[in-house]
Amino acid sequence: MADALRIEPLTGDALRRHLADLADLRIAVFRAFPYLYEGSRAYEERYLATYADAPGSVIVGARDGDRLVGAATGLPLRHEPDTVTRPLADAGLDVGRVFYYGESVLLPDYRGRGVGVRFFTEREAHARRLGGFDHAVFCAVDRPDDHPRRPAGHVPLDGFWRNRGFRPLPGVTCRFSWRDLDEDGESEKLMRFWIKDLA
Ligand SMILES: CC(C)(COP(=O)(O)OP(=O)(O)OC[C@H]1O[C@@H](n2cnc3c(N)ncnc32)[C@H](O)[C@@H]1OP(=O)(O)O)[C@@H](O)C(=O)NCCC(=O)NCCS
C-alpha cells in the first residue's frame, strides 16, 4: 500500500541530496513509451540543476525504506526557461502566478496504489503553502498515433490528469529536446500543456 511508503515533500538540502536518485529514476522510467528517453548523466545534471537552484522548488519523494522508488517535481514557473514560459505568457497567463509541475516517475512495482494521486496533492499543497499561485501547469509529450514504438493497447494518462483537476490548454505547446532510444542525438519533441485553476 502507499501507506507503507514514505511520501513527503523534500526541499532545500533534502531535495539536493535526492537529485542523483531522481536522475536514476528518470532514466529508468522514461525509457518507456511515450518518453523513449535514452537517458544520460550529463543531460540529467543540466536538467536537474534548475531544481537544485530555484527558490520554491520541491521534490515529492516516495521512499521504501531508504530507497527512492518514485518522485514528482515542481517549481514556480518563473524559474523555467523562456521556451517554456513564453507560450504560456502568450496564452495570457501571468507567469509569476503559475506553479509548474515537472515529472512524476514511479517504478512499475509501486503503481496503482495511489502514489501518483499523492504526487499531485502534495505538489498542490506545496504550491498553496508558498502562496501566490493562480494555476498549476505541466506539459506532456505528444507522440503520433502511428508511432512505431507505441505499445498495443497503450492507455494515455489523460483520464488520470483530468481526475486530478487538469484540462488541456488547446494549442499551447513547447518543445523539449532529448535523445530517443532510436536516435543518434537529441531532437525536439512536441509538448502539450495542461492546466488547473488553484485560485
Ligand atoms: C503516472 C504515475 C506516476 C501514476 O502513478 P500511480 O501510483 O500508478 O497512480 P495512482 O495509483 O495514484 O492512480 C492511478 C489510478 O488508480 C487509482 N487508485 C488510487 N488508489 C488506488 C488503490 N489503492 N488501488 C487501486 N487504484 C487506486 C487512482 O484513483 C487513479 O485513478 P483515477 O485517475 O481514476 O483517480 C505512474 O504511472 C508512472 O510513473 N508512469 C510513468 C511515468 C509517466 O508517465 N509520468 C508522467 C505522469 S504526470
Side-chain angles (χ1 to χ4, degrees), residues 1 29-30 34-35 102-107 110-120 123 138 157 159-161 163-164:
M1 291 296 295
V29 172
F30 284 155
Y35 305 94
E103 53 283 291
S104 303
V105 285
L106 183 63
L107 294 177
Y110 294 86
R111 291 182 194 165
R113 309 176 190 182
V115 179
V117 173
R118 287 283 303 279
F119 283 162
F120 278 78
R123 283 181 296 186
F138 68 84
L157 285 170
F160 173 75
W161 291 327
N163 288 343
R164 310 281 78 75

Side-chain angles (χ1 to χ4, degrees), residues 1 26 28 50 55 58 60 66-67 86 88 126 177 188 195:
M1 291 296 295
R26 281 173 39 88
T50 311
V58 67
V60 178
D66 286 340
R67 185 178 177 219
R86 171 80 51 202
L88 293 164
H126 173 83
S177 282
E188 288 192 334
I195 191 165

